[in-house]
Amino acid sequence: MPVTFVNGQNCVLRIQGQVIDEATNAPLPFASLFLENGQKGTMADENGHFEFKDVCPGNTHIRASHLSCEPLQFYLEIKKDTSFTVRMHHHEELMNEVKVHGKYEDQSLENSGTVDQDLIQNKSNQNLADIIQEITGVSVLRTGAGVSKPIVHGMSGNRVAMLNNGVAQAGQQWGNDHAPEIDAFSANHISVLKGVSALQYSGSSLGAVILVEPGHIGDDPHLHGKANYIYQTNGRGHTLNLALEKGGENWAWRLTGTGKKIGDRSSPNYFLNNTGNQEVDASLLVELDKTKLWPKQVYFSTFNSEIGILRGSHIGNLTDLEQSFTRDVPFFTEDKFSYGIDSPKQRVNHQLLKVSTQHRFSRERKLELQYAAQLDHRREYDVRRGVRSDVPALSLNQSNHQFDLKFDQELNTLYFLKTGLTSAFTDNTNQPETGILPLIPDYNSLEEAAFGIVQREKGAWLMEVGGRVHWSTMSVAAISRDLPRRIIHDNLQFLANSLSGGVQWKASSKWSFKANLGYTERPPAINELYSFGLHQGVSSIEIGNPDIQKEKSTKFTLSSDFNLNDKLFIQALAYVNGIRDYIFLQPNPEPMLTIRGAFPVFDYMQTDARLVGFDGLLTYEPIAWLRYVGKVSLLRGQDTKQNNPLIYMPPNNFSHTLTFTFSEGKRFQQNQFTVRWDLVNRQKHYLEGQDFIPPPAAYQLLHVALQTTVFTGKKHLHLAISGDNLLNTVYRDYLNRQRYFADELGRNLSFRVSWEF
């Protein structure tokens, strides 16, 4: 829609409002605002209030900027005197899922943390799990340089549900070497729920849920976009992102695309040969009839990647395997860089289509309907004799269909009801081209679930209680492990119940408290029941157990937020999680020699476990240009049946960040220099002989970043340079399954250019 400012019209309108911090609702003093059409500028007062006088009616863009905040631009139709609130990201580390949405029906007692689009774009050359590691209490389970999965409060893999635009991500049941097939750049924000029982979200979990959300498209009818390019020195990698968006009342669309090409990474002292990856992703979001009774949304995404596996992690015989655990330099290490990706490697293709609509019967009642389909194709290639390295050793096709219905009802001024139904069908089929016994058998599964949550809010108190019933059936056709081989048909059924309750008390404007208690049951996943063979990404043999039972978790959390004069913020969260029949991978002392090489062996076992932990976050801003952020995560996992430590629990870790913001000029804004120091302790809660090698030593890493934003008329140019592991520290990480063979990555410098128009 063209701008309609006309000479001679009556320019007597007034625009006023307040600029606040989106995370804390605190006023942001002395923010700058610019009215694009009319070329008017003003500055907010010490309480964040601003005013434009003598404004002509019409449509315009408004730009807002504030020290230490990402510049903000939005679209406004001016027909009369107008008042609004400008919400800026000033304390990103304090953002959570409720504050991002800011709607009554999205209130929750779940403890959560969120990373926003600015951080996602800065780190769009990394995997999704590496990005959300910025949230306190989140660690990363790695299988080399290109594959990572999140760990939340010690829970990982099948215990952490992941929802991509409201759809439970399929293809995560195959094992820990399968990273989420999601392009983080397509997300507007990513949230991690760390509560006791996320009842309203589909997918199996023990309370931890990761929400990847693209965000709604605004009403701005003009075409806008962002082009983002990152070059990284470690791996000589190139990442290019592009996003285009056009809003409107009747229909709006957003198109995103990402391309990556990264070569061999390197540790401080040698190349990690065959650890490159390449990726091509795209997504399209279309919103229709936004102002009508049944607004609709269509979303499609495609994710396609090829990932190299460290050549030195695939060993030919048992003697070399034992030596590889003690070598300083992995086998097959060559002193040359390459973009080539040879076997062992993975090729992954994932497609998602989602159609959804909603109807608001009144202000108190809302109905949401959603259907989604997913297609996965995973191929894994081993080092094989002759030309057979080009034949996949694992080839899986999986299709998944999911239907969701949700109904929200405000019962009266005190009570709010959320209900929902979910149905999902999965068909998992091995392709016969491999000539190798499949790691995961063919199977079909059907899942049905229903939930209900009641909330009551009165004064400073918010209370919540809810339940979820989940029924699933699985039809499996597995090949026997003994000779002669035969097909074994199993039909399994599981009933899983979940209950949770919580309370929040806002004691004053400075203090608030939350307490949650939840009981959750989780059926075993297909890989935990039937895995039998080489899990290529983790370079190990994994053996499932068809007799294992569902897990039963009882988790209690207690948290508190403290805010002193909008200068000092403290968040503290303590939790205890008792799990009966906890499923885990037990290292087998006897490695296995196969025609594909010699590999360590892991067996799926069950025990009773208790996890006790603490997450802490402190933010202090003594003056406007200086901010300190400190984070701590503590965790202790115990096998209560054997009275042994649990293996593969994240060690205690600490992070300290100082951000200096320099004075802003008319052309250069958001000038920041950041120094970060990470300390990861050695996992001392460990029993000698519990793993193939003892936990590695503690390590410390230094990171720095320098950035600025250049304004050129209506467009922005973001420039940034950052350095990770700046001191080139040699270390190994306890949560990296390839620590048996190689060191972690050495120094990496990243250069980023982003053009916003």
Side-chain angles (χ1 to χ4, degrees), residues 44-201:
D45 62 18
E46 65 274 14
N47 295 313
H49 294 291
F50 65 89
E51 183 180 41
F52 290 99
K53 295 181 179 178
D54 302 327
V55 177
C56 301
N59 307 325
T60 184
H61 294 100
I62 293 181
R63 297 202 307 263
S65 62
H66 181 266
L67 202 65
S68 302
C69 296
E70 182 74 9
L72 183 66
Q73 177 173 299
F74 52 97
Y75 179 75
L76 190 66
E77 294 184 359
I78 307 170
K79 299 177 181 177
K80 57 184 180 180
D81 290 347
T82 303
S83 179
F84 57 87
T85 299
V86 180
R87 301 175 184 274
M88 304 193 71
H89 293 180
H90 188 72
H91 285 96
E92 294 175 337
E93 67 279 357
L94 300 175
M95 290 297 297
N96 62 40
E97 178 64 9
V98 175
K99 289 168 181 170
V100 166
H101 291 273
K103 294 183 294 186
Y104 178 72
E105 57 262 37
D106 288 324
Q107 282 200 106
S108 171
L109 294 180
E110 291 284 347
N111 297 104
S112 65
T114 297
V115 295
D116 66 7
Q117 195 174 37
D118 303 331
L119 180 62
I120 293 171
Q121 291 179 8
N122 279 333
K123 295 180 175 292
S124 62
N125 59 327
Q126 300 182 11
N127 296 323
L128 184 142
D130 296 311
I131 294 174
I132 61 176
Q133 192 181 12
E134 299 290 328
I135 296 173
T136 311
V138 179
S139 303
V140 176
L141 179 67
R142 301 181 198 279
T143 49
V147 180
S148 56
K149 300 187 81 159
I151 304 176
V152 183
H153 286 176
M155 301 286 99
S156 63
N158 297 309
R159 300 187 183 92
V160 178
M162 187 166 298
L163 276 71
N164 183 9
N165 194 12
V167 181
Q169 183 77 5
Q172 294 299 296
Q173 311 91 337
W174 292 328
N176 289 329
D177 63 333
H178 304 149
E181 302 95 345
I182 299 173
D183 175 20
F185 185 75
S186 64
N188 176 270
H189 61 274
I190 306 171
S191 297
V192 177
L193 310 185
K194 300 181 284 187
V196 297
S197 183
L199 301 175
Q200 62 179 311
Y201 301 103

Side-chain angles (χ1 to χ4, degrees), residues 278-446:
Q278 51 191 17
E279 191 174 307
V280 178
D281 315 316
S283 67
L284 175 65
L285 172 65
V286 179
E287 294 179 347
L288 303 169
D289 302 329
K290 295 170 61 178
T291 59
K292 297 184 179 177
L293 286 177
W294 290 90
K296 307 166 191 66
Q297 187 187 83
V298 180
Y299 180 78
F300 173 77
S301 68
T302 177
F303 179 96
N304 309 279
S305 70
E306 185 174 34
I307 304 169
I309 306 298
L310 177 71
R311 180 63 184 90
S313 66
H314 282 227
I315 310 300
N317 58 68
L318 294 174
T319 303
D320 287 349
L321 178 63
E322 289 184 8
Q323 290 183 12
S324 68
F325 291 157
T326 57
R327 285 175 63 95
D328 292 331
V329 179
F331 284 113
F332 307 109
T333 297
E334 299 179 7
D335 189 22
K336 65 178 183 179
F337 170 85
S338 174
Y339 284 108
I341 300 175
D342 300 320
S343 298
K345 63 182 178 183
Q346 302 176 353
R347 285 180 180 161
V348 181
N349 305 98
H350 180 273
Q351 331 294 331
L352 164 66
L353 173 66
K354 169 192 162 184
V355 181
S356 63
T357 186
Q358 62 175 271
H359 179 65
R360 188 174 285 279
F361 300 96
S362 63
R363 193 185 69 85
E364 295 83 10
R365 290 186 296 165
K366 186 177 72 171
L367 174 70
E368 296 180 62
L369 300 170
Q370 173 179 296
Y371 165 76
Q374 297 178 76
L375 295 175
D376 277 285
H377 188 194
R378 166 173 289 271
R379 286 154 292 173
E380 299 184 354
Y381 299 80
D382 279 353
V383 179
R384 304 171 80 175
R385 293 179 180 176
V387 295
R388 291 182 59 80
S389 292
D390 296 330
V391 178
L394 175 74
S395 181
L396 282 169
N397 274 346
Q398 185 182 91
S399 62
N400 174 273
H401 302 268
Q402 180 181 323
F403 176 77
D404 291 279
L405 180 151
K406 291 183 180 178
F407 179 74
D408 295 342
Q409 167 84 52
E410 186 178 338
L411 301 176
N412 54 44
T413 57
L414 295 179
Y415 290 92
F416 191 83
L417 172 68
K418 300 179 182 179
T419 58
L421 300 170
T422 296
S423 179
F425 175 76
T426 301
D427 180 12
N428 190 92
T429 307
N430 285 277
Q431 302 304 297
E433 57 188 318
T434 64
I436 294 176
L437 290 178
L439 171 68
I440 303 291
D442 293 353
Y443 73 95
N444 294 327
S445 71
L446 176 65

Side-chain angles (χ1 to χ4, degrees), residues 490-530:
D490 286 339
N491 290 294
L492 308 175
Q493 290 190 4
F494 296 98
L495 179 65
N497 300 307
S498 301
L499 295 170
S500 74
V503 60
Q504 173 182 285
W505 176 45
K506 294 182 179 177
S508 68
S509 60
K510 295 183 174 60
W511 283 97
S512 66
F513 299 88
K514 286 182 184 177
N516 286 280
L517 177 64
Y519 172 79
T520 307
E521 296 177 342
R522 183 186 73 87
I526 187 71
N527 64 314
E528 296 162 337
L529 291 164
Y530 290 100

Side-chain angles (χ1 to χ4, degrees), residues 413-607:
T413 57
L414 295 179
Y415 290 92
F416 191 83
L417 172 68
K418 300 179 182 179
T419 58
L421 300 170
T422 296
S423 179
F425 175 76
T426 301
D427 180 12
N428 190 92
T429 307
N430 285 277
Q431 302 304 297
E433 57 188 318
T434 64
I436 294 176
L437 290 178
L439 171 68
I440 303 291
D442 293 353
Y443 73 95
N444 294 327
S445 71
L446 176 65
E447 300 175 66
E448 309 281 353
F451 75 87
I453 301 171
V454 177
Q455 294 178 338
R456 183 180 190 275
E457 184 176 25
K458 185 176 183 181
W461 293 86
L462 173 64
M463 289 159 278
E464 179 181 286
V465 63
R468 183 182 181 94
V469 178
H470 180 275
W471 174 83
S472 62
T473 180
M474 190 182 298
S475 178
V476 183
I479 299 176
S480 66
R481 299 175 184 178
D482 55 347
L483 296 174
R485 304 291 184 193
R486 59 195 184 280
I487 303 297
I488 300 174
H489 294 277
D490 286 339
N491 290 294
L492 308 175
Q493 290 190 4
F494 296 98
L495 179 65
N497 300 307
S498 301
L499 295 170
S500 74
V503 60
Q504 173 182 285
W505 176 45
K506 294 182 179 177
S508 68
S509 60
K510 295 183 174 60
W511 283 97
S512 66
F513 299 88
K514 286 182 184 177
N516 286 280
L517 177 64
Y519 172 79
T520 307
E521 296 177 342
R522 183 186 73 87
I526 187 71
N527 64 314
E528 296 162 337
L529 291 164
Y530 290 100
S531 287
F532 187 67
L534 175 63
H535 235 311
Q536 183 204 51
V538 293
S539 307
S540 60
I541 305 286
E542 292 187 359
I543 301 176
N545 182 353
D547 297 325
I548 57 178
Q549 303 298 312
K550 61 186 179 183
E551 293 181 327
K552 282 81 72 175
S553 162
T554 302
K555 185 177 181 181
F556 174 73
T557 65
L558 179 64
S559 64
S560 178
D561 290 359
F562 175 72
N563 174 3
L564 180 61
N565 300 326
D566 299 322
K567 296 288 186 184
L568 175 65
F569 299 89
I570 299 175
Q571 293 182 340
L573 167 67
Y575 59 92
V576 179
N577 191 0
I579 306 177
R580 282 199 297 130
D581 297 323
Y582 173 81
I583 302 170
F584 68 105
L585 276 171
Q586 175 70 55
N588 189 315
E590 296 297 326
M592 185 179 292
L593 179 64
T594 73
I595 59 173
R596 301 163 75 180
F599 298 95
V601 177
F602 293 82
D603 297 299
Y604 278 101
M605 308 285 284
Q606 278 194 297
T607 188

Side-chain angles (χ1 to χ4, degrees), residues 229-260:
Y229 170 74
I230 300 175
Y231 175 75
Q232 64 184 68
T233 57
N234 197 329
R236 304 176 194 178
H238 305 269
T239 300
L240 179 64
N241 312 110
L242 177 66
L244 299 174
E245 177 178 313
K246 192 172 187 295
E249 293 184 351
N250 293 322
W251 80 290
W253 59 269
R254 179 189 297 141
L255 176 67
T256 65
T258 293
K260 295 180 184 176

